[in-house]
Amino acid sequence: MSGYGIAMRPGAGVFKLDMARILADETNDLTPMMRTMLRELWDEFVVVDARLATVSRQVEAIADRVDAARRLMSIPGIGPLGATALLAAIGDGRQFRKARDLAAWLGLVPRQNSTGGRTTLLGISKRGNPYLRRLIIHGARSCIAHLNRERDRMGEWIGRLEQRMHRNKVVVAFANKIARMAWAVLTRPGNLYERVDPAQA
């Protein structure tokens, strides 16, 4: 839009406000053809956005009705979408012998290269369900940005990692921790995040 001298603010929320305002302003520099095309795209966007909102409410309603989903949502970084996706993919999680097995199945553990008795840790393996892994990593990234470090017990752990690791590695390490805590919550009925020791997960 800058090519027409129209500035738009970054962010999904303000995009909706700005786009509606720009299309309603008949005095700006948009050509008639461009205005028509943008209005058609905007109408399609509104329909899709409304449908996404409806589906999101349905997912939230399902998560609220299922005890295991509610317990998963007590973990920082796991919301209704992540909780229902985890349950759909792994059920009660008992097919994994330990928490690390779930993290490995999701591809959230480092690949190892051993030669001459020396082990080198490489990037994450990225095995398993890519959609679920992406959800957990996005949840971890959001937590690192917004978690109250002083009130949540994971705050100090994240702070120590940030002192010695690149930000992306911290995100993946926290995603790994989230997956381990999810296994602990699922395999021990009644467990919530508050009752799970992150150091033991």
Side-chain angles (χ1 to χ4, degrees), residues 155-185:
E156 185 180 347
W157 182 82
I158 293 170
R160 289 198 305 269
L161 285 185
E162 287 178 329
Q163 292 174 2
R164 57 188 177 88
M165 285 186 181
H166 186 275
R167 182 65 173 257
N168 289 343
K169 288 187 177 181
V170 175
V171 169
V172 174
F174 189 37
N176 179 299
K177 184 68 75 174
I178 289 172
R180 290 170 179 244
M181 288 188 290
W183 178 86
V185 164

Side-chain angles (χ1 to χ4, degrees), residues 108 124 132-142 171-172 175:
L108 290 169
I124 58 173
L132 194 51
R133 181 174 59 255
R134 193 178 308 116
L135 276 180
I136 293 174
I137 287 177
H138 285 326
R141 183 175 289 109
S142 177
V171 169
V172 174

Side-chain angles (χ1 to χ4, degrees), residues 52-182:
L52 283 174
T54 300
V55 172
S56 294
R57 288 193 295 270
Q58 291 171 346
V59 170
E60 289 168 5
I62 292 169
D64 283 339
R65 289 198 303 266
V66 179
D67 175 67
R70 290 197 302 270
R71 289 187 286 114
L72 283 172
M73 288 189 293
S74 72
I75 302 170
I78 297 184
L81 199 58
T84 51
L86 269 167
L87 289 175
I90 67 172
D92 62 7
R94 296 185 185 278
Q95 65 270 45
F96 302 102
R97 189 169 55 88
K98 53 188 178 182
R100 189 186 186 282
D101 293 344
L102 172 57
W105 180 78
L106 288 169
L108 290 169
V109 297
R111 289 180 292 115
Q112 295 185 7
N113 182 35
S114 299
T115 178
R118 181 177 178 180
T119 300
T120 304
L121 294 180
L122 306 172
I124 58 173
S125 66
K126 296 186 179 179
R127 294 186 299 175
N129 187 321
Y131 172 70
L132 194 51
R133 181 174 59 255
R134 193 178 308 116
L135 276 180
I136 293 174
I137 287 177
H138 285 326
R141 183 175 289 109
S142 177
C143 267
I144 289 172
H146 303 292
L147 190 71
N148 187 324
R149 303 288 182 90
E150 295 181 0
R151 296 185 60 183
D152 194 283
R153 55 192 172 154
M154 293 298 295
E156 185 180 347
W157 182 82
I158 293 170
R160 289 198 305 269
L161 285 185
E162 287 178 329
Q163 292 174 2
R164 57 188 177 88
M165 285 186 181
H166 186 275
R167 182 65 173 257
N168 289 343
K169 288 187 177 181
V170 175
V171 169
V172 174
F174 189 37
N176 179 299
K177 184 68 75 174
I178 289 172
R180 290 170 179 244
M181 288 188 290

Side-chain angles (χ1 to χ4, degrees), residues 6-76:
I6 300 172
M8 295 186 70
R9 296 168 291 175
V14 290
F15 165 78
K16 297 176 186 179
L17 296 174
D18 286 351
M19 198 64 189
R21 172 181 54 79
I22 290 166
L23 289 174
D25 182 6
E26 299 289 344
T27 64
N28 58 37
D29 293 334
L30 287 178
T31 63
M33 183 177 291
M34 177 60 73
R35 188 181 300 278
T36 300
M37 183 182 71
L38 287 176
R39 197 177 298 281
E40 291 173 354
L41 290 172
W42 174 248
D43 290 342
E44 291 178 16
F45 172 84
V46 169
V47 171
V48 172
D49 193 50
R51 177 60 182 148
L52 283 174
T54 300
V55 172
S56 294
R57 288 193 295 270
Q58 291 171 346
V59 170
E60 289 168 5
I62 292 169
D64 283 339
R65 289 198 303 266
V66 179
D67 175 67
R70 290 197 302 270
R71 289 187 286 114
L72 283 172
M73 288 189 293
S74 72
I75 302 170

